Amino acid sequence: MAQAETYDINALKVCPTPVLDACSERMVCVECGKKVRFFCYQCLRPVSDLEGKIPQIRLPFKLDVVKHEGEKDGKSTALHAKVMAPEDVEIIAYSENCLDDVDVERTALLFPGPDATNIADMDPASFDKVVVIDGTWRQAKGMLHHCQKLRQMRKVTVNPRRTKFWRYQNFDDSYMATIEAIYFLYRDSVSSGYNGEYDALMYFFKYFYDFIQSEYAARPEKSFHNKHQKGYIAYETALPSTSLRQTKSSVVPEANYDFDDLGLDLAFQAQLDDQQDEA
């Protein structure tokens, strides 16, 4: 297996911070009435204040995200793809027969392994859709084991990169967040001359990443989980906190700021979470 490369998240041609920082309060979803921040996890559409302000893109082939029931909506980065490319992405609740209508001859499965073909080497005319599994690696393997349609699909993979995900895991840093894998699926499918066409898939991920970087860079005394990759917080280069981030801090428990507002699970905040649970 090739060594995972480091990618430059700051090279993405998206600038979500000014737009999303201005959306400072939860708003009522116009479809279901739930109060949400940025977008509704059930209806998968942006709040009214963000309509027309965040990028919407088209993708060269369809994407089905098969979501394990144990993957919480607020922790799922795969949902970002549906918000940014609503016409080409579908979110499907997993069951053993959830893909019965899928043509496995024209569908590929994004899943690493020795039998997987790099998406860059795939003939674009040979498939119409890619399926992505959204869940932990244990859940994903279980879904693959129990769903015959998933096992019948050709497997594709992407060039390995070192993840920028803020949730630590018991694997090496080549195990990317789902939205990172989705983004590189489309980016690597471009044979040459990529010019940021699919960078919008990383819009929310980039915002959350920058949010965490700025919060921790502003408070270097704060500790995080020691399982994170060395140098995860770029103290020297992280952007300064904005006024919103200073007043509604995510890293100070006394601020009473709910990370669910941002769809985040800062797993490296385990120590502070434990303190709050005991209080």
mmCIF file of all heavy atoms in Angstrom, residues 171-213:
data_model
loop_
_atom_site.group_PDB
_atom_site.id
_atom_site.type_symbol
_atom_site.label_atom_id
_atom_site.label_comp_id
_atom_site.label_asym_id
_atom_site.label_seq_id
_atom_site.Cartn_x
_atom_site.Cartn_y
_atom_site.Cartn_z
ATOM 1 N N PHE A 171 -6.890 3.802 14.536
ATOM 2 C CA PHE A 171 -6.239 3.400 13.300
ATOM 3 C C PHE A 171 -5.193 4.443 12.968
ATOM 4 O O PHE A 171 -5.117 5.492 13.593
ATOM 5 C CB PHE A 171 -7.264 3.294 12.157
ATOM 6 C CG PHE A 171 -8.349 2.282 12.407
ATOM 7 C CD1 PHE A 171 -9.586 2.672 12.898
ATOM 8 C CD2 PHE A 171 -8.128 0.942 12.155
ATOM 9 C CE1 PHE A 171 -10.594 1.743 13.124
ATOM 10 C CE2 PHE A 171 -9.131 0.003 12.379
ATOM 11 C CZ PHE A 171 -10.365 0.403 12.874
ATOM 12 N N ASP A 172 -4.400 4.170 11.934
ATOM 13 C CA ASP A 172 -3.415 5.174 11.552
ATOM 14 C C ASP A 172 -4.098 6.322 10.821
ATOM 15 O O ASP A 172 -5.284 6.259 10.479
ATOM 16 C CB ASP A 172 -2.296 4.551 10.717
ATOM 17 C CG ASP A 172 -2.775 4.023 9.370
ATOM 18 O OD1 ASP A 172 -3.333 4.821 8.585
ATOM 19 O OD2 ASP A 172 -2.583 2.823 9.089
ATOM 20 N N ASP A 173 -3.337 7.396 10.561
ATOM 21 C CA ASP A 173 -3.942 8.612 10.037
ATOM 22 C C ASP A 173 -4.243 8.564 8.545
ATOM 23 O O ASP A 173 -4.619 9.574 7.951
ATOM 24 C CB ASP A 173 -3.080 9.838 10.367
ATOM 25 C CG ASP A 173 -1.659 9.734 9.806
ATOM 26 O OD1 ASP A 173 -1.416 8.842 8.971
ATOM 27 O OD2 ASP A 173 -0.801 10.536 10.225
ATOM 28 N N SER A 174 -4.124 7.397 7.911
ATOM 29 C CA SER A 174 -4.551 7.261 6.527
ATOM 30 C C SER A 174 -6.046 6.959 6.429
ATOM 31 O O SER A 174 -6.605 6.942 5.327
ATOM 32 C CB SER A 174 -3.757 6.163 5.818
ATOM 33 O OG SER A 174 -4.064 4.881 6.349
ATOM 34 N N TYR A 175 -6.703 6.726 7.571
ATOM 35 C CA TYR A 175 -8.132 6.465 7.600
ATOM 36 C C TYR A 175 -8.861 7.805 7.655
ATOM 37 O O TYR A 175 -8.957 8.433 8.706
ATOM 38 C CB TYR A 175 -8.506 5.586 8.790
ATOM 39 C CG TYR A 175 -8.098 4.135 8.615
ATOM 40 C CD1 TYR A 175 -6.774 3.747 8.744
ATOM 41 C CD2 TYR A 175 -9.036 3.158 8.309
ATOM 42 C CE1 TYR A 175 -6.379 2.427 8.576
ATOM 43 C CE2 TYR A 175 -8.668 1.833 8.145
ATOM 44 C CZ TYR A 175 -7.336 1.474 8.279
ATOM 45 O OH TYR A 175 -6.960 0.163 8.109
ATOM 46 N N MET A 176 -9.367 8.237 6.520
ATOM 47 C CA MET A 176 -9.944 9.569 6.399
ATOM 48 C C MET A 176 -11.389 9.614 6.882
ATOM 49 O O MET A 176 -12.073 8.585 6.984
ATOM 50 C CB MET A 176 -9.889 10.028 4.946
ATOM 51 C CG MET A 176 -8.485 10.247 4.407
ATOM 52 S SD MET A 176 -8.466 10.888 2.704
ATOM 53 C CE MET A 176 -8.875 9.387 1.794
ATOM 54 N N ALA A 177 -11.851 10.829 7.188
ATOM 55 C CA ALA A 177 -13.270 11.047 7.418
ATOM 56 C C ALA A 177 -14.019 10.741 6.122
ATOM 57 O O ALA A 177 -13.469 10.830 5.025
ATOM 58 C CB ALA A 177 -13.521 12.495 7.839
ATOM 59 N N THR A 178 -15.297 10.392 6.238
ATOM 60 C CA THR A 178 -16.055 9.998 5.052
ATOM 61 C C THR A 178 -16.081 11.102 4.005
ATOM 62 O O THR A 178 -15.933 10.845 2.806
ATOM 63 C CB THR A 178 -17.485 9.599 5.432
ATOM 64 O OG1 THR A 178 -17.449 8.615 6.469
ATOM 65 C CG2 THR A 178 -18.215 8.999 4.239
ATOM 66 N N ILE A 179 -16.265 12.348 4.426
ATOM 67 C CA ILE A 179 -16.332 13.430 3.441
ATOM 68 C C ILE A 179 -14.972 13.655 2.777
ATOM 69 O O ILE A 179 -14.912 14.026 1.596
ATOM 70 C CB ILE A 179 -16.863 14.738 4.065
ATOM 71 C CG1 ILE A 179 -17.209 15.758 2.973
ATOM 72 C CG2 ILE A 179 -15.853 15.319 5.049
ATOM 73 C CD1 ILE A 179 -18.284 15.309 2.014
ATOM 74 N N GLU A 180 -13.879 13.407 3.487
ATOM 75 C CA GLU A 180 -12.568 13.494 2.852
ATOM 76 C C GLU A 180 -12.457 12.438 1.747
ATOM 77 O O GLU A 180 -11.973 12.720 0.639
ATOM 78 C CB GLU A 180 -11.454 13.282 3.873
ATOM 79 C CG GLU A 180 -11.259 14.395 4.867
ATOM 80 C CD GLU A 180 -10.163 14.073 5.873
ATOM 81 O OE1 GLU A 180 -10.356 13.122 6.673
ATOM 82 O OE2 GLU A 180 -9.122 14.754 5.864
ATOM 83 N N ALA A 181 -12.875 11.217 2.056
ATOM 84 C CA ALA A 181 -12.814 10.141 1.072
ATOM 85 C C ALA A 181 -13.695 10.457 -0.135
ATOM 86 O O ALA A 181 -13.311 10.204 -1.289
ATOM 87 C CB ALA A 181 -13.235 8.822 1.709
ATOM 88 N N ILE A 182 -14.880 11.022 0.124
ATOM 89 C CA ILE A 182 -15.777 11.400 -0.975
ATOM 90 C C ILE A 182 -15.137 12.485 -1.836
ATOM 91 O O ILE A 182 -15.148 12.421 -3.072
ATOM 92 C CB ILE A 182 -17.129 11.879 -0.412
ATOM 93 C CG1 ILE A 182 -17.892 10.701 0.211
ATOM 94 C CG2 ILE A 182 -17.961 12.549 -1.502
ATOM 95 C CD1 ILE A 182 -19.132 11.112 0.972
ATOM 96 N N TYR A 183 -14.567 13.479 -1.189
ATOM 97 C CA TYR A 183 -13.925 14.569 -1.925
ATOM 98 C C TYR A 183 -12.804 14.051 -2.823
ATOM 99 O O TYR A 183 -12.733 14.386 -4.018
ATOM 100 C CB TYR A 183 -13.381 15.613 -0.942
ATOM 101 C CG TYR A 183 -12.402 16.579 -1.570
ATOM 102 C CD1 TYR A 183 -12.807 17.467 -2.559
ATOM 103 C CD2 TYR A 183 -11.061 16.590 -1.186
ATOM 104 C CE1 TYR A 183 -11.908 18.347 -3.145
ATOM 105 C CE2 TYR A 183 -10.158 17.477 -1.758
ATOM 106 C CZ TYR A 183 -10.581 18.346 -2.745
ATOM 107 O OH TYR A 183 -9.688 19.211 -3.321
ATOM 108 N N PHE A 184 -11.929 13.221 -2.259
ATOM 109 C CA PHE A 184 -10.812 12.718 -3.059
ATOM 110 C C PHE A 184 -11.269 11.709 -4.111
ATOM 111 O O PHE A 184 -10.591 11.521 -5.128
ATOM 112 C CB PHE A 184 -9.728 12.142 -2.151
ATOM 113 C CG PHE A 184 -8.919 13.209 -1.471
ATOM 114 C CD1 PHE A 184 -8.996 13.396 -0.097
ATOM 115 C CD2 PHE A 184 -8.105 14.047 -2.211
ATOM 116 C CE1 PHE A 184 -8.257 14.391 0.532
ATOM 117 C CE2 PHE A 184 -7.366 15.057 -1.593
ATOM 118 C CZ PHE A 184 -7.440 15.228 -0.224
ATOM 119 N N LEU A 185 -12.411 11.074 -3.892
ATOM 120 C CA LEU A 185 -12.991 10.225 -4.936
ATOM 121 C C LEU A 185 -13.234 11.042 -6.201
ATOM 122 O O LEU A 185 -12.864 10.618 -7.319
ATOM 123 C CB LEU A 185 -14.309 9.623 -4.433
ATOM 124 C CG LEU A 185 -15.158 8.882 -5.475
ATOM 125 C CD1 LEU A 185 -14.523 7.548 -5.817
ATOM 126 C CD2 LEU A 185 -16.584 8.678 -4.952
ATOM 127 N N TYR A 186 -13.817 12.209 -6.038
ATOM 128 C CA TYR A 186 -14.107 13.045 -7.208
ATOM 129 C C TYR A 186 -12.857 13.764 -7.701
ATOM 130 O O TYR A 186 -12.646 13.896 -8.912
ATOM 131 C CB TYR A 186 -15.222 14.033 -6.881
ATOM 132 C CG TYR A 186 -16.570 13.357 -6.798
ATOM 133 C CD1 TYR A 186 -17.124 12.982 -5.575
ATOM 134 C CD2 TYR A 186 -17.266 13.045 -7.954
ATOM 135 C CE1 TYR A 186 -18.339 12.337 -5.513
ATOM 136 C CE2 TYR A 186 -18.492 12.387 -7.911
ATOM 137 C CZ TYR A 186 -19.019 12.031 -6.680
ATOM 138 O OH TYR A 186 -20.221 11.376 -6.629
ATOM 139 N N ARG A 187 -12.044 14.213 -6.789
ATOM 140 C CA ARG A 187 -10.823 14.916 -7.207
ATOM 141 C C ARG A 187 -9.898 13.980 -7.981
ATOM 142 O O ARG A 187 -9.351 14.361 -9.020
ATOM 143 C CB ARG A 187 -10.106 15.479 -5.982
ATOM 144 C CG ARG A 187 -8.799 16.175 -6.322
ATOM 145 C CD ARG A 187 -8.218 16.887 -5.135
ATOM 146 N NE ARG A 187 -6.856 17.335 -5.380
ATOM 147 C CZ ARG A 187 -6.163 18.115 -4.568
ATOM 148 N NH1 ARG A 187 -6.703 18.551 -3.442
ATOM 149 N NH2 ARG A 187 -4.930 18.469 -4.858
ATOM 150 N N ASP A 188 -9.716 12.758 -7.488
ATOM 151 C CA ASP A 188 -8.805 11.821 -8.154
ATOM 152 C C ASP A 188 -9.374 11.287 -9.461
ATOM 153 O O ASP A 188 -8.649 10.714 -10.278
ATOM 154 C CB ASP A 188 -8.473 10.648 -7.221
ATOM 155 C CG ASP A 188 -7.571 11.056 -6.064
ATOM 156 O OD1 ASP A 188 -7.134 12.218 -6.034
ATOM 157 O OD2 ASP A 188 -7.335 10.213 -5.170
ATOM 158 N N SER A 189 -10.693 11.454 -9.654
ATOM 159 C CA SER A 189 -11.300 10.991 -10.902
ATOM 160 C C SER A 189 -10.967 11.916 -12.070
ATOM 161 O O SER A 189 -11.183 11.554 -13.229
ATOM 162 C CB SER A 189 -12.819 10.886 -10.751
ATOM 163 O OG SER A 189 -13.428 12.178 -10.694
ATOM 164 N N VAL A 190 -10.457 13.118 -11.763
ATOM 165 C CA VAL A 190 -10.067 14.068 -12.803
ATOM 166 C C VAL A 190 -8.654 13.717 -13.265
ATOM 167 O O VAL A 190 -7.705 13.764 -12.482
ATOM 168 C CB VAL A 190 -10.110 15.511 -12.269
ATOM 169 C CG1 VAL A 190 -9.663 16.493 -13.353
ATOM 170 C CG2 VAL A 190 -11.506 15.857 -11.778
ATOM 171 N N SER A 191 -8.521 13.368 -14.528
ATOM 172 C CA SER A 191 -7.230 12.879 -15.037
ATOM 173 C C SER A 191 -6.166 13.963 -15.050
ATOM 174 O O SER A 191 -4.986 13.703 -14.792
ATOM 175 C CB SER A 191 -7.408 12.287 -16.439
ATOM 176 O OG SER A 191 -7.961 13.260 -17.324
ATOM 177 N N SER A 192 -6.559 15.189 -15.356
ATOM 178 C CA SER A 192 -5.588 16.285 -15.377
ATOM 179 C C SER A 192 -6.323 17.619 -15.327
ATOM 180 O O SER A 192 -7.513 17.705 -15.660
ATOM 181 C CB SER A 192 -4.712 16.217 -16.644
ATOM 182 O OG SER A 192 -5.508 16.388 -17.809
ATOM 183 N N GLY A 193 -5.597 18.637 -14.890
ATOM 184 C CA GLY A 193 -6.159 19.982 -14.901
ATOM 185 C C GLY A 193 -7.213 20.243 -13.845
ATOM 186 O O GLY A 193 -8.117 21.058 -14.071
ATOM 187 N N TYR A 194 -7.124 19.561 -12.695
ATOM 188 C CA TYR A 194 -8.110 19.828 -11.637
ATOM 189 C C TYR A 194 -7.989 21.281 -11.180
ATOM 190 O O TYR A 194 -6.890 21.773 -10.909
ATOM 191 C CB TYR A 194 -7.905 18.885 -10.448
ATOM 192 C CG TYR A 194 -8.915 19.146 -9.339
ATOM 193 C CD1 TYR A 194 -10.229 18.723 -9.472
ATOM 194 C CD2 TYR A 194 -8.555 19.835 -8.185
ATOM 195 C CE1 TYR A 194 -11.165 18.978 -8.482
ATOM 196 C CE2 TYR A 194 -9.476 20.087 -7.187
ATOM 197 C CZ TYR A 194 -10.787 19.653 -7.343
ATOM 198 O OH TYR A 194 -11.715 19.915 -6.353
ATOM 199 N N ASN A 195 -9.148 21.953 -11.063
ATOM 200 C CA ASN A 195 -9.139 23.378 -10.741
ATOM 201 C C ASN A 195 -10.142 23.710 -9.636
ATOM 202 O O ASN A 195 -10.799 24.762 -9.680
ATOM 203 C CB ASN A 195 -9.426 24.203 -11.996
ATOM 204 C CG ASN A 195 -9.104 25.670 -11.812
ATOM 205 O OD1 ASN A 195 -8.163 26.034 -11.092
ATOM 206 N ND2 ASN A 195 -9.887 26.532 -12.449
ATOM 207 N N GLY A 196 -10.265 22.786 -8.675
ATOM 208 C CA GLY A 196 -11.119 23.072 -7.531
ATOM 209 C C GLY A 196 -12.592 22.836 -7.757
ATOM 210 O O GLY A 196 -13.424 23.283 -6.944
ATOM 211 N N GLU A 197 -12.956 22.107 -8.816
ATOM 212 C CA GLU A 197 -14.365 21.938 -9.159
ATOM 213 C C GLU A 197 -15.183 21.292 -8.039
ATOM 214 O O GLU A 197 -16.380 21.570 -7.896
ATOM 215 C CB GLU A 197 -14.511 21.087 -10.424
ATOM 216 C CG GLU A 197 -13.980 21.735 -11.690
ATOM 217 C CD GLU A 197 -12.517 21.467 -11.955
ATOM 218 O OE1 GLU A 197 -11.803 21.064 -11.010
ATOM 219 O OE2 GLU A 197 -12.084 21.653 -13.106
ATOM 220 N N TYR A 198 -14.559 20.445 -7.230
ATOM 221 C CA TYR A 198 -15.293 19.704 -6.199
ATOM 222 C C TYR A 198 -14.872 20.092 -4.782
ATOM 223 O O TYR A 198 -15.243 19.431 -3.809
ATOM 224 C CB TYR A 198 -15.118 18.196 -6.427
ATOM 225 C CG TYR A 198 -15.379 17.803 -7.862
ATOM 226 C CD1 TYR A 198 -14.405 17.157 -8.622
ATOM 227 C CD2 TYR A 198 -16.581 18.118 -8.477
ATOM 228 C CE1 TYR A 198 -14.624 16.833 -9.949
ATOM 229 C CE2 TYR A 198 -16.817 17.797 -9.811
ATOM 230 C CZ TYR A 198 -15.835 17.164 -10.535
ATOM 231 O OH TYR A 198 -16.057 16.844 -11.863
ATOM 232 N N ASP A 199 -14.115 21.172 -4.667
ATOM 233 C CA ASP A 199 -13.657 21.618 -3.341
ATOM 234 C C ASP A 199 -14.817 21.952 -2.414
ATOM 235 O O ASP A 199 -14.696 21.866 -1.188
ATOM 236 C CB ASP A 199 -12.741 22.836 -3.469
ATOM 237 C CG ASP A 199 -11.363 22.492 -4.014
ATOM 238 O OD1 ASP A 199 -11.166 21.334 -4.445
ATOM 239 O OD2 ASP A 199 -10.488 23.384 -4.034
ATOM 240 N N ALA A 200 -15.957 22.338 -2.972
ATOM 241 C CA ALA A 200 -17.111 22.694 -2.146
ATOM 242 C C ALA A 200 -17.600 21.534 -1.289
ATOM 243 O O ALA A 200 -18.260 21.747 -0.267
ATOM 244 C CB ALA A 200 -18.253 23.212 -3.025
ATOM 245 N N LEU A 201 -17.269 20.302 -1.680
ATOM 246 C CA LEU A 201 -17.644 19.155 -0.845
ATOM 247 C C LEU A 201 -17.031 19.252 0.551
ATOM 248 O O LEU A 201 -17.559 18.723 1.523
ATOM 249 C CB LEU A 201 -17.200 17.852 -1.513
ATOM 250 C CG LEU A 201 -17.958 17.454 -2.783
ATOM 251 C CD1 LEU A 201 -17.229 16.310 -3.488
ATOM 252 C CD2 LEU A 201 -19.394 17.065 -2.455
ATOM 253 N N MET A 202 -15.917 19.975 0.651
ATOM 254 C CA MET A 202 -15.194 20.113 1.925
ATOM 255 C C MET A 202 -15.549 21.414 2.651
ATOM 256 O O MET A 202 -14.863 21.809 3.593
ATOM 257 C CB MET A 202 -13.699 20.057 1.648
ATOM 258 C CG MET A 202 -13.191 18.721 1.151
ATOM 259 S SD MET A 202 -12.990 17.524 2.477
ATOM 260 C CE MET A 202 -11.398 18.046 3.125
ATOM 261 N N TYR A 203 -16.611 22.078 2.230
ATOM 262 C CA TYR A 203 -16.977 23.397 2.747
ATOM 263 C C TYR A 203 -17.156 23.382 4.265
ATOM 264 O O TYR A 203 -16.514 24.151 4.992
ATOM 265 C CB TYR A 203 -18.265 23.850 2.063
ATOM 266 C CG TYR A 203 -18.647 25.288 2.293
ATOM 267 C CD1 TYR A 203 -18.081 26.309 1.534
ATOM 268 C CD2 TYR A 203 -19.603 25.632 3.241
ATOM 269 C CE1 TYR A 203 -18.457 27.635 1.715
ATOM 270 C CE2 TYR A 203 -19.985 26.948 3.429
ATOM 271 C CZ TYR A 203 -19.413 27.947 2.662
ATOM 272 O OH TYR A 203 -19.778 29.249 2.858
ATOM 273 N N PHE A 204 -18.016 22.519 4.762
ATOM 274 C CA PHE A 204 -18.262 22.465 6.209
ATOM 275 C C PHE A 204 -17.083 21.853 6.951
ATOM 276 O O PHE A 204 -16.733 22.298 8.047
ATOM 277 C CB PHE A 204 -19.545 21.685 6.502
ATOM 278 C CG PHE A 204 -20.793 22.400 6.089
ATOM 279 C CD1 PHE A 204 -21.514 21.971 4.988
ATOM 280 C CD2 PHE A 204 -21.245 23.512 6.781
ATOM 281 C CE1 PHE A 204 -22.664 22.634 4.584
ATOM 282 C CE2 PHE A 204 -22.396 24.181 6.388
ATOM 283 C CZ PHE A 204 -23.104 23.745 5.285
ATOM 284 N N PHE A 205 -16.466 20.848 6.366
ATOM 285 C CA PHE A 205 -15.310 20.211 6.994
ATOM 286 C C PHE A 205 -14.193 21.234 7.193
ATOM 287 O O PHE A 205 -13.562 21.287 8.246
ATOM 288 C CB PHE A 205 -14.824 19.047 6.125
ATOM 289 C CG PHE A 205 -13.756 18.205 6.760
ATOM 290 C CD1 PHE A 205 -14.085 17.080 7.498
ATOM 291 C CD2 PHE A 205 -12.406 18.513 6.618
ATOM 292 C CE1 PHE A 205 -13.101 16.282 8.082
ATOM 293 C CE2 PHE A 205 -11.418 17.736 7.192
ATOM 294 C CZ PHE A 205 -11.769 16.617 7.933
ATOM 295 N N LYS A 206 -13.951 22.047 6.169
ATOM 296 C CA LYS A 206 -12.916 23.075 6.262
ATOM 297 C C LYS A 206 -13.256 24.088 7.358
ATOM 298 O O LYS A 206 -12.377 24.513 8.125
ATOM 299 C CB LYS A 206 -12.788 23.787 4.912
ATOM 300 C CG LYS A 206 -11.832 24.999 4.885
ATOM 301 C CD LYS A 206 -10.380 24.583 4.982
ATOM 302 C CE LYS A 206 -9.421 25.662 4.504
ATOM 303 N NZ LYS A 206 -9.520 26.934 5.232
ATOM 304 N N TYR A 207 -14.509 24.453 7.456
ATOM 305 C CA TYR A 207 -14.915 25.407 8.494
ATOM 306 C C TYR A 207 -14.672 24.830 9.883
ATOM 307 O O TYR A 207 -14.113 25.491 10.760
ATOM 308 C CB TYR A 207 -16.390 25.761 8.337
ATOM 309 C CG TYR A 207 -16.892 26.673 9.428
ATOM 310 C CD1 TYR A 207 -16.614 28.038 9.415
ATOM 311 C CD2 TYR A 207 -17.633 26.164 10.495
ATOM 312 C CE1 TYR A 207 -17.071 28.873 10.422
ATOM 313 C CE2 TYR A 207 -18.088 26.998 11.510
ATOM 314 C CZ TYR A 207 -17.804 28.348 11.468
ATOM 315 O OH TYR A 207 -18.246 29.173 12.479
ATOM 316 N N PHE A 208 -15.083 23.587 10.099
ATOM 317 C CA PHE A 208 -14.916 22.968 11.409
ATOM 318 C C PHE A 208 -13.445 22.789 11.757
ATOM 319 O O PHE A 208 -13.028 22.987 12.896
ATOM 320 C CB PHE A 208 -15.632 21.605 11.449
ATOM 321 C CG PHE A 208 -17.120 21.698 11.257
ATOM 322 C CD1 PHE A 208 -17.819 20.652 10.677
ATOM 323 C CD2 PHE A 208 -17.831 22.817 11.650
ATOM 324 C CE1 PHE A 208 -19.194 20.721 10.492
ATOM 325 C CE2 PHE A 208 -19.202 22.898 11.478
ATOM 326 C CZ PHE A 208 -19.878 21.842 10.890
ATOM 327 N N TYR A 209 -12.666 22.389 10.746
ATOM 328 C CA TYR A 209 -11.219 22.229 10.959
ATOM 329 C C TYR A 209 -10.598 23.560 11.380
ATOM 330 O O TYR A 209 -9.839 23.635 12.352
ATOM 331 C CB TYR A 209 -10.565 21.700 9.684
ATOM 332 C CG TYR A 209 -9.056 21.636 9.754
ATOM 333 C CD1 TYR A 209 -8.414 20.538 10.331
ATOM 334 C CD2 TYR A 209 -8.276 22.679 9.253
ATOM 335 C CE1 TYR A 209 -7.024 20.492 10.405
ATOM 336 C CE2 TYR A 209 -6.894 22.630 9.323
ATOM 337 C CZ TYR A 209 -6.272 21.537 9.901
ATOM 338 O OH TYR A 209 -4.899 21.497 9.985
ATOM 339 N N ASP A 210 -10.907 24.619 10.648
ATOM 340 C CA ASP A 210 -10.363 25.936 10.983
ATOM 341 C C ASP A 210 -10.846 26.409 12.351
ATOM 342 O O ASP A 210 -10.096 27.051 13.100
ATOM 343 C CB ASP A 210 -10.767 26.964 9.920
ATOM 344 C CG ASP A 210 -10.010 26.783 8.616
ATOM 345 O OD1 ASP A 210 -8.983 26.075 8.619
ATOM 346 O OD2 ASP A 210 -10.442 27.363 7.599
ATOM 347 N N PHE A 211 -12.093 26.102 12.662
ATOM 348 C CA PHE A 211 -12.665 26.471 13.950
ATOM 349 C C PHE A 211 -11.841 25.879 15.094
ATOM 350 O O PHE A 211 -11.446 26.568 16.040
ATOM 351 C CB PHE A 211 -14.106 25.973 14.013
ATOM 352 C CG PHE A 211 -14.882 26.410 15.228
ATOM 353 C CD1 PHE A 211 -15.777 27.457 15.134
ATOM 354 C CD2 PHE A 211 -14.738 25.771 16.451
ATOM 355 C CE1 PHE A 211 -16.507 27.863 16.248
ATOM 356 C CE2 PHE A 211 -15.454 26.162 17.551
ATOM 357 C CZ PHE A 211 -16.346 27.214 17.459
ATOM 358 N N ILE A 212 -11.561 24.586 14.975
ATOM 359 C CA ILE A 212 -10.798 23.896 16.015
ATOM 360 C C ILE A 212 -9.374 24.428 16.083
ATOM 361 O O ILE A 212 -8.829 24.672 17.167
ATOM 362 C CB ILE A 212 -10.815 22.377 15.746
ATOM 363 C CG1 ILE A 212 -12.217 21.826 15.945
ATOM 364 C CG2 ILE A 212 -9.813 21.652 16.634
ATOM 365 C CD1 ILE A 212 -12.408 20.439 15.394
ATOM 366 N N GLN A 213 -8.761 24.618 14.931
ATOM 367 C CA GLN A 213 -7.393 25.134 14.903
ATOM 368 C C GLN A 213 -7.309 26.495 15.596
ATOM 369 O O GLN A 213 -6.408 26.739 16.413
ATOM 370 C CB GLN A 213 -6.910 25.260 13.457
ATOM 371 C CG GLN A 213 -6.691 23.943 12.744
ATOM 372 C CD GLN A 213 -5.492 23.169 13.275
ATOM 373 O OE1 GLN A 213 -4.453 23.740 13.575
ATOM 374 N NE2 GLN A 213 -5.635 21.856 13.378
#
